[in-house]
Amino acid sequence: MSPCDPGRDCPSCPRLVVFRDRQRAAHPDWHNAPVPSFGTDDARLLIVGLAPGLQGANRTGRPFTGDWAGDLLYETLIGFGFASGTYDERPDDGLTLIDTRITNAVRCVPPENKPTTEEIATCRGFLAATIAAMPRLTAVVTLGKIGHDSAVRALGERPSRVPFTHGGMHRVGSVTVFSSYHCSRYNTNTGVLTPEMFRAVFGTVRRHLDAAG
């Protein structure tokens, strides 16, 4: 098994295993397993989210696929040339990522979308392995504070030295970390994050990668 992949029946987090088994019984046609990263490991950009949504990636098996967060994320990625095709909320929609990979800090869906500190730490090994397997990695976009802090730790730095702020940009070793509020429906409905704010982050990332050549 790849160190980047927990495998379908990862036993590492007992609470998440119990929840996963309940969902498998209730929805046997859903993915209901750790969600693998989307995109190839030769990408220069890695996007790190929080965890699979219950009826989104946990159902479909592809990060940010099947819920509102994916609507905004993939529309934005297509708009800035990080993806091509049409996003249709299903893993066989033909959408292709360009120079981009997407993963989550926690690979299994947590109850109420709230992983525990221990679960985040346990799953960080897979995030660190994903980062290590990307030899051309230049930029990381973190969506939300949990994803941000876990990604920063996986890069070998302390979050206190790389604080989370929307629109933040920090150099961590050879990688530049860009941070954004998570593109969840809650954040967009409450006005914490607007599509314009989200697009501004990816506009900055686009210019950064284009300048790097």
Side-chain angles (χ1 to χ4, degrees):
M1 184 183 301
S2 166
C4 304
D5 181 10
R8 180 167 177 81
D9 297 305
C10 180
S12 298
C13 300
R15 186 182 75 117
L16 301 189
V17 171
V18 170
F19 190 65
R20 183 175 69 207
D21 288 345
R22 288 177 185 165
Q23 296 307 314
R24 285 179 177 178
H27 305 284
D29 57 330
W30 288 11
H31 176 72
N32 286 319
V35 175
S37 302
F38 178 31
T40 59
D41 58 12
D42 63 346
R44 290 186 298 161
L45 171 62
L46 178 66
I47 299 169
V48 181
L50 169 57
L54 178 60
Q55 297 185 51
N58 177 67
R59 175 175 60 84
T60 64
R62 191 178 74 180
F64 290 90
T65 299
D67 54 24
W68 165 250
D71 292 348
L72 179 55
L73 176 62
Y74 288 118
E75 174 190 351
T76 303
L77 294 182
I78 292 170
F80 285 98
F82 294 118
S84 64
T86 301
Y87 170 65
D88 198 24
E89 299 189 2
R90 50 191 177 82
D92 60 350
D93 55 15
L95 183 77
T96 302
L97 296 181
I98 301 171
D99 204 17
T100 302
R101 198 175 199 190
I102 304 174
T103 196
N104 279 306
V106 176
R107 299 292 186 88
C108 290
V109 59
E112 300 180 352
N113 203 38
K114 295 178 180 178
T116 66
T117 301
E118 182 178 2
E119 289 161 356
I120 297 165
T122 298
C123 212
R124 190 173 300 123
F126 299 111
L127 177 56
T130 297
I131 290 171
M134 299 179 68
R136 300 177 66 240
L137 185 65
T138 301
V140 175
V141 174
T142 59
L143 304 179
K145 188 176 188 305
I146 290 176
H148 176 83
D149 288 357
S150 195
V152 168
R153 291 184 188 281
L155 287 165
E157 187 56 276
R158 298 194 302 273
S160 61
R161 294 174 61 89
V162 187
F164 173 79
T165 57
H166 178 78
M169 186 172 91
H170 299 272
R171 188 79 172 177
V172 180
S174 61
V175 174
T176 301
V177 178
F178 301 84
S179 49
S180 170
Y181 292 133
H182 196 283
C183 49
S184 66
R185 181 180 290 275
Y186 176 81
N187 280 347
T188 55
N189 281 352
T190 58
V192 170
L193 177 70
T194 65
E196 292 75 20
M197 291 167 62
F198 197 61
R199 286 193 286 266
V201 171
F202 281 91
T204 302
V205 176
R206 177 80 276 167
R207 290 189 293 274
H208 173 79
L209 290 178
D210 289 349

